Amino acid sequence: MDEKKRSFCIICSIVGSVALLGFCILTIAGSTPYLLVIRLIFAGIAAIAYTIKLGVEISSEESWGISVFLIAICLFDIVLTAIQLG
C-alpha cells in the first residue's frame, strides 16, 4: 500500500472511531428522540468511514476482516436505534 492510501485509511479509521465514541457517549446520555436521531447520524458516519476504508483495503490487497466486523457493528447499531426510535 502506498503512502497516500495508507494515510487515507488512517483518516477513515480516526473518523470512524470518533463517530463510534460519540455514539457510545450518546447511548449513555439517554434515549430522547433527538438523541436517538443524533445516534443514527453518528452510526451512519462511522459505517460510511469504515466502508471507504474497506474499499481502499480491498483495492490494495490488505487484510480487511476488521473493517467488515466494524461495519457490521455499525449497521447493527443503526437497526437497534431505528427500532428504539420507531
Side-chain angles (χ1 to χ4, degrees):
M1 183 183 312
D2 63 349
E3 194 62 35
K4 184 177 178 181
K5 288 183 180 180
R6 186 176 312 280
S7 65
F8 200 67
C9 279
I10 291 171
I11 290 170
C12 287
S13 293
I14 291 170
V15 169
S17 298
V18 168
L20 280 180
L21 180 66
F23 179 86
C24 292
I25 290 170
L26 289 172
T27 301
I28 295 169
S31 62
T32 63
Y34 297 114
L35 290 177
L36 290 174
V37 170
I38 296 171
R39 278 172 49 186
L40 277 173
I41 292 169
F42 274 114
I45 290 170
I48 291 169
Y50 287 124
T51 304
I52 292 170
K53 180 182 172 190
L54 176 67
V56 172
E57 287 174 345
I58 288 175
S59 69
S60 63
E61 299 175 0
E62 294 287 321
S63 63
W64 42 268
I66 295 174
S67 294
V68 171
F69 179 70
L70 290 171
I71 291 169
I73 289 174
C74 292
L75 294 177
F76 182 71
D77 290 339
I78 289 171
V79 169
L80 286 181
T81 305
I83 289 172
Q84 287 179 344
L85 190 60

